[in-house]
Amino acid sequence: MAVGRGRYRLGLYSAAAVMAVSLLPMFTGETASMAYFWTLLQFLSLVLSLNLITGFTGYINFGHIAYYGYGAYTVAYLTTITQQNPYLFIPAAAIVSAIIALLVGKPLLSVRGPYFTIATLGLGEASRTIIVNLPFFNYSEGLPIARFFKYDAFSSYISMWLVAVGLFAVTLFIKRSRYGVMLETIREDEDLAETMGINTRRTKLAAYVLSSSTAGLIGGLTAITYVYAHPGFFSISINVAVIASLLLGGGGTLLGPVVGATSYFIIADTLLTRFPYLHLIIFGTIIMGISLLLPRGLVYLVYKTPKLRGLFSDA
Amino acid sequence: MVTSPDIFLQTLLNGFLIGAVYGVAAIGLSLVWGVLGLVNLSHGALLIAAAYITFLLYVGLGAPPLVSAPLAFLIGAAAGLLFYKGFGKRLTSTDPSYSLLFFFGLALFLTNTILNLLGPDVRGIPWLIESAALGPVSVSVARLISFGLVGVSFITLYLFINKTFYGKAIRAVVANRLGAVTAGIDVQWVFAVCTSIGFGITFFSGSLVALVNPFTPSSGDGYLMYAFATVVLGGVGSIVGAFLAGILLGIVESFVGVLFTQGVSPAVAFITLVLVILFRYGRR
């Protein structure tokens, strides 16, 4: 069995391949493929950021999208009142999301399993309801920011690319660190983790805050690219798509999010263009099939093949 | 506004009648969750599927909901049995997150099938919508009838679960699955019966929903949220708890609708739910 860095070879190679391919549109400068790959990168980043909590600790988080929305609204609101370049407020988006995650996460993470899932389910919806009733967020119309800066496709593309690369690095770092092992112990058996002296509460909270603040970062960048923050940022369907692709790939790994996000994105996009009316029916069927036939994600196929298993024990 | 006793009573009664429907609608979710340990994310979609069956029966054959509600129960019970025979074993043995994903896929499938077959229009059943005066308050006859059906179905189910031998087996599985197996209870059989009853009562309440509220193919999500709130508030696996919690939520929703706007009421339901989860199931 390969040890050390070799254990993540497959994950690293595939991540490097996706990142390299997504650099290509930068050189051709073709708008259509840049838009396509930007959306892929954004989706991949969301899956990677959700992986930090759901993949590593097994807590299914339906409230992830709320932080994405907070990030978008933070950037748009600060841009509107100061009339500065919105890229200045990207750190603020991450900080606001992190603070909210710290406050919300503390009580939220004291419940487990389906209770956690259901409690988070309302976070996005409740946030959306509150925001559309607030006058300084312009009710349900949202905050357009196009007039405050000159939109540039390249800078928005490169910043999303950097976020994705950064999230890969963070995932790899956690995976290789003692902290990652603590998170995985919580996923496998939380009571055992507690017995072994792991401060489960603090460990989970740190993962939740990290995951949520990166979601805020992605939301902020998305608001800049859309030049608009609107209540649609809190849509539960994005959250579910992110969870579905994480589970499709296999959570808590480096390879899983890459495989899951790219295959989900390509399948969903192809279905949408080929079958504009029936795509969600077909998609529902595919999701049901995957959850019945591949109950540990596509990455599980690697483990089932003895030859590959020896090479990439921990993709 | 609510200080006026007439409006107060009216709001209370409306909330009570709607809440009773919410309560029965959540029983199916509660049974499947409590007994099989599966969190049915497609509960709302099933509810709306039944609402559309009732609607089609009303428009196509002129069948009043009073007839189609028991019919919907039978269809749902058959569907539940087939569902358990087809997927049940696989779902109860895999990781919970994958069964969540499965039910999400099922919800997507059902909602969009209905959307493609019947269109996105708002539907409703204009049956007995005239109102009757009850002392100072007035109430639509359809809601009173639906309340009657709710009462009958709830009492039947309550007697089945709490007074019969089979019901005792179901309660035993809710309390302790391993213990039930040791006592010689055929757990697979209990699972099949519970899925069947759970789907049946969900379909039944779906046709009541069609009777009291207008609906679209995507309105299942809202009912799913309410059902979650109701089940967690009432205690997983408890049908009396679900019924009482449903009534409470209905009354809360009704008052929020009068005091603020109807739009905030899902948020209020959810904040209640989160608080209940944190205080009841959180570990200090």
Side-chain angles (χ1 to χ4, degrees):
Chain A
M1 192 187 279
V3 288
R5 212 164 282 154
R7 289 163 67 207
Y8 308 108
R9 213 185 293 152
L10 193 58
L12 275 177
Y13 287 167
S14 58
V18 169
M19 297 327 288
V21 169
S22 57
L23 260 187
L24 289 178
M26 287 288 293
F27 295 112
T28 63
E30 194 196 338
T31 327
S33 63
M34 263 176 84
Y36 184 83
F37 275 98
W38 183 86
T39 320
L40 173 63
L41 282 175
Q42 184 226 22
F43 191 67
L44 180 61
S45 310
L46 274 178
V47 175
L48 280 166
S49 74
L50 183 74
N51 186 30
L52 298 177
I53 178 83
T54 299
F56 280 107
T57 67
Y59 278 67
I60 308 272
N61 182 5
F62 275 99
H64 198 58
I65 209 63
Y67 297 98
Y68 171 76
Y70 300 150
Y73 267 91
T74 306
V75 167
Y77 183 65
L78 289 177
T79 308
T80 315
I81 55 168
T82 61
Q83 316 218 339
Q84 297 293 317
N85 189 332
Y87 283 101
L88 291 174
F89 305 117
I90 293 292
I95 293 167
V96 167
S97 291
I99 291 172
I100 299 175
L102 200 62
L103 296 176
V104 172
K106 225 171 197 166
L108 208 56
L109 286 161
S110 67
V111 291
R112 293 182 191 177
Y115 296 106
F116 177 80
T117 305
I118 293 166
T120 57
L121 201 57
L123 195 59
E125 192 54 30
S127 310
R128 196 186 61 81
T129 319
I130 291 167
I131 277 180
V132 299
N133 283 298
L134 290 179
F136 46 92
F137 287 145
N138 206 5
Y139 301 109
S140 56
E141 278 173 42
L143 301 165
I145 54 170
R147 63 177 188 277
F148 302 121
F149 74 113
K150 196 175 171 326
Y151 175 70
D152 170 24
F154 278 96
S155 40
S156 103
Y157 193 90
I158 198 75
S159 40
M160 192 51 88
W161 191 83
L162 286 174
V163 167
V165 171
L167 278 166
F168 273 123
V170 169
T171 312
L172 184 65
F173 176 74
I174 290 182
K175 189 85 185 149
R176 285 170 58 81
S177 69
R178 185 163 164 272
Y179 178 63
V181 179
M182 281 155 75
L183 288 176
E184 284 173 347
T185 316
I186 291 175
R187 179 182 67 202
E188 298 306 329
D189 191 336
E190 194 164 340
D191 293 324
L192 177 77
E194 235 159 58
T195 317
M196 282 164 57
I198 296 173
N199 187 340
T200 54
R201 186 162 295 201
R202 231 164 62 195
T203 314
K204 285 186 295 187
L205 190 62
Y208 186 74
V209 170
L210 185 62
S211 156
S212 306
S213 67
T214 47
L217 203 68
I218 299 164
L221 284 175
T222 309
I224 292 175
T225 308
Y226 293 177
V227 293
Y228 191 24
H230 55 95
F233 272 87
F234 294 98
S235 135
I236 187 86
S237 55
I238 308 175
N239 201 120
V240 174
V242 171
I243 292 179
S245 51
L246 181 64
L247 295 179
L248 168 66
T253 60
L254 195 62
L255 179 62
V258 184
V259 174
T262 17
S263 49
Y264 182 102
F265 186 76
I266 292 169
I267 293 172
D269 195 71
T270 316
L271 285 177
L272 181 64
T273 46
R274 289 274 164 82
F275 309 101
Y277 293 106
L278 300 176
H279 75 281
L280 284 174
I281 299 181
I282 303 172
F283 198 61
T285 319
I286 292 176
I287 287 184
M288 284 192 275
I290 287 166
S291 54
L292 287 178
L293 301 176
L294 283 174
R296 276 178 65 188
L298 283 169
V299 171
Y300 187 54
L301 290 178
V302 174
Y303 295 90
K304 281 212 319 208
T305 322
K307 259 188 186 165
L308 288 175
R309 191 175 54 210
L311 282 174
F312 314 108
S313 63
D314 207 357
Chain B
M1 200 159 70
V2 187
T3 46
S4 143
D6 280 4
I7 294 180
F8 180 82
L9 274 180
Q10 179 75 55
T11 316
L12 194 67
L13 184 69
N14 275 342
F16 182 77
L17 294 182
I18 283 285
V21 176
Y22 289 160
V24 167
I27 287 177
L29 184 71
S30 184
L31 261 184
V32 174
W33 187 352
V35 176
L36 282 82
L38 295 177
V39 179
N40 186 355
L41 275 184
S42 63
H43 182 79
L46 290 171
L47 212 67
I48 292 305
Y52 272 92
I53 290 174
T54 316
F55 172 74
L56 290 179
L57 283 174
Y58 182 75
V59 172
L61 303 172
L66 209 54
V67 179
S68 44
L71 196 64
F73 178 84
L74 292 179
I75 297 173
L81 201 59
L82 284 177
F83 178 85
Y84 186 76
K85 290 288 172 214
F87 307 113
K89 249 182 204 159
R90 187 101 205 186
L91 286 176
T92 44
S93 61
T94 56
D95 192 68
S97 55
Y98 286 91
S99 66
L100 272 178
L101 190 62
F102 175 87
F103 282 117
F104 172 69
L106 184 63
L108 214 55
F109 176 81
L110 282 175
T111 309
N112 288 286
T113 309
I114 296 172
L115 184 67
N116 275 290
L117 291 178
L118 298 162
D121 305 332
V122 180
R123 312 278 191 183
I125 297 180
W127 186 67
L128 290 181
I129 43 174
E130 62 266 31
S131 47
L134 288 177
V137 297
S138 66
V139 62
S140 91
V141 179
R143 285 196 177 182
L144 279 181
I145 290 179
S146 80
F147 182 72
L149 286 172
V150 160
V152 170
S153 62
F154 175 71
I155 290 167
T156 316
L157 204 60
Y158 177 80
L159 292 178
F160 174 73
I161 302 255
N162 285 294
K163 300 288 173 210
T164 66
F165 185 67
Y166 300 108
K168 204 182 235 176
I170 292 173
R171 280 181 291 140
V173 175
V174 174
N176 186 338
R177 194 184 290 183
L178 199 62
V181 177
T182 323
I185 293 170
D186 183 355
V187 174
Q188 290 298 328
W189 180 86
V190 170
F191 280 3
V193 167
C194 278
T195 318
S196 183
I197 295 177
F199 275 45
I201 197 81
T202 304
F203 270 59
F204 181 81
S205 45
S207 58
L208 297 184
V209 162
L211 187 58
V212 295
N213 276 347
F215 49 93
T216 66
S218 56
S219 49
D221 293 346
Y223 288 108
L224 177 68
M225 294 287 163
Y226 273 116
F228 271 145
T230 312
V231 170
V232 172
L233 205 58
V236 175
S238 153
I239 67 164
V240 180
F243 189 66
L244 294 179
I247 290 176
L248 182 69
L249 267 187
I251 292 173
V252 168
E253 185 206 42
S254 179
F255 275 101
V256 168
V258 170
L259 287 171
F260 308 105
T261 63
Q262 197 67 34
V264 239
S265 63
V268 171
F270 235 92
I271 290 164
T272 321
L273 165 67
V274 169
L275 292 179
V276 170
I277 286 185
L278 296 180
F279 285 115
R280 241 188 101 158
Y281 301 94
R283 294 163 316 128
R284 295 282 150 238

